[in-house]
């Protein structure tokens, strides 16, 4: 009788311990991840100074991208920004920039400007770090001259990639990287919003600094070339921008793409457009958070 009672008591005790062990475990709290924001900076020669104003407006408003991708002039500003130069440093660099320091004239070499000084300027101001060694994730878009396909440089020499992305045919000679020739990324991706999305961005902010053709008569060779690229880039840009959540367009009419002297005006217009776009960026961020 005593043995039976002990067995029963032991059984109840075991059941009680099992019940305690089977209590539901509280789930670990889930932390919402922040969306990856990409800033896609388009091409536009000297109008590229407007990118600095846009960056200034966004950062002042607490909006900092995780990814920066640029085409042509956008790759120039984008590389410097990704290297750690804040908007005020970028503005200082732009104001102090001597056009001669990035211009090296050439004769009979498939272009009138070599582009070596631009490459040196970029590398000097990114601390000679490769693309994958910059503080912020960066990519530069160029065009493979043999295939006509866009190439997104995410590794390697920063200055060389920017030089390739900026190599306007007829102005700069093609840039040879890995045995292949590359020219201006604006020929295939004037505003690299789709490429930004492909890099894993959740939200893409695209900056369009292109413009309509100037309409000038009796243009010089360079103006004619830039107008031709502008016409071609218009249709491509519309296609590219379907991948953007927010498009920022600084008012740059009247600012010639070849005039580096109006950099102050370009920066100011970029800043104005950037601040005007901040509510739309915040709405896009809120919409992403609701979906996720």
């Amino acid at each position: 009788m005593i043995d039976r009672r002990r067995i029963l008591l032991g059984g109840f005790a075991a059941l009680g311990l099992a019940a305690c062990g089977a209590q539901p475990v509280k789930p670990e709290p889930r932390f919402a991840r922040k969306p990856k924001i990409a800033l896609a900076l388009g091409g536009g020669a000297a109008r590229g100074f407007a990118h600095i104003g846009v960056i200034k407006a966004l950062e002042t408003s607490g909006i900092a991208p995780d990814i920066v991708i640029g085409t042509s002039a956008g790759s120039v500003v984008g590389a410097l920004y990704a290297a750690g130069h804040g908007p005020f440093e970028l503005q200082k660099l732009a104001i102090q920039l001597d056009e001669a320091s990035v211009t090296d004239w050439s004769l009979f070499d498939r272009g009138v400007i070599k582009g070596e000084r631009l490459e040196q300027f970029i590398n000097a101001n990114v601390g000679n770090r490769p693309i994958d060694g910059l503080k912020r994730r960066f990519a530069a878009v160029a065009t493979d001259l043999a295939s006509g396909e866009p190439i997104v440089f995410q590794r390697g020499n920063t200055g060389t990639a920017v030089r390739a992305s900026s190599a306007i045919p007829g102005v700069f000679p093609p840039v040879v990287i890995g045995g292949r020739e590359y020219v201006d990324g604006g020929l295939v991706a004037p505003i690299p919003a789709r490429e930004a999305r492909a890099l894993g961005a959740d939200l893409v902010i695209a900056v369009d600094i292109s413009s309509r053709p100037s309409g000038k008569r009796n243009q010089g060779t360079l103006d004619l070339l830039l107008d031709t690229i502008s016409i071609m880039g218009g249709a491509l840009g519309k296609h590219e921008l379907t991948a953007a959540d927010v498009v920022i367009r600084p008012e740059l009419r009247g600012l010639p793409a070849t005039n580096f002297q109006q950099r102050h005006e370009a920066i100011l217009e970029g800043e104005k457009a950037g601040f005007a776009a901040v509510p739309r960026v915040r709405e896009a961020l809120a919409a992403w958070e609701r979906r996720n």
Side-chain angles (χ1 to χ4, degrees), residues 202-216:
D202 297 307
L203 187 138
V204 177
I205 303 170
V207 185
D208 179 4
I209 58 167
S210 62
S211 66
R212 293 181 179 180
S214 64
K216 292 179 183 176

Side-chain angles (χ1 to χ4, degrees), residues 105-106 109-113 167-174 183-184 187 221-222 225 229:
W105 297 102
S106 172
D109 188 24
R110 303 171 74 188
V112 295
I113 300 175
I168 301 170
V171 179
F172 295 89
V183 292
D184 194 309
L187 300 177
T221 303
L222 183 55
L225 178 61
I229 292 174

Side-chain angles (χ1 to χ4, degrees), residues 148-183:
E149 295 294 321
I151 177 73
V152 180
F153 289 107
Q154 301 181 64
R155 290 180 296 278
N157 187 298
T158 306
T160 306
V162 169
R163 178 183 173 189
S165 180
S166 307
I168 301 170
V171 179
F172 295 89
V175 178
V176 180
I177 302 173
R180 298 186 71 86
E181 290 187 321
Y182 298 96
V183 292

Side-chain angles (χ1 to χ4, degrees), residues 176-283:
V176 180
I177 302 173
R180 298 186 71 86
E181 290 187 321
Y182 298 96
V183 292
D184 194 309
L187 300 177
V188 287
I191 311 153
R194 292 170 65 85
E195 289 71 19
R197 188 72 69 186
L199 292 178
D202 297 307
L203 187 138
V204 177
I205 303 170
V207 185
D208 179 4
I209 58 167
S210 62
S211 66
R212 293 181 179 180
S214 64
K216 292 179 183 176
R217 300 182 67 180
N218 303 317
Q219 299 179 82
T221 303
L222 183 55
D223 284 324
L224 177 61
L225 178 61
L226 291 174
D227 266 4
T228 304
I229 292 174
S230 178
I231 292 168
M232 180 182 64
L236 285 172
K238 289 177 183 176
H239 179 63
E240 281 279 329
L241 290 175
T242 58
D245 296 281
V246 178
V247 180
I248 301 175
R249 290 187 175 93
E251 179 51 73
L252 298 172
R253 282 181 296 182
L255 293 181
T258 55
N259 190 343
F260 281 76
Q261 304 309 313
Q262 290 182 280
R263 65 194 77 175
H264 298 277
E265 291 90 335
I267 293 171
L268 181 59
E269 290 300 332
E271 192 172 343
K272 284 163 60 177
F275 276 120
V278 165
R280 287 187 285 128
V281 175
R282 289 184 174 147
E283 285 173 12

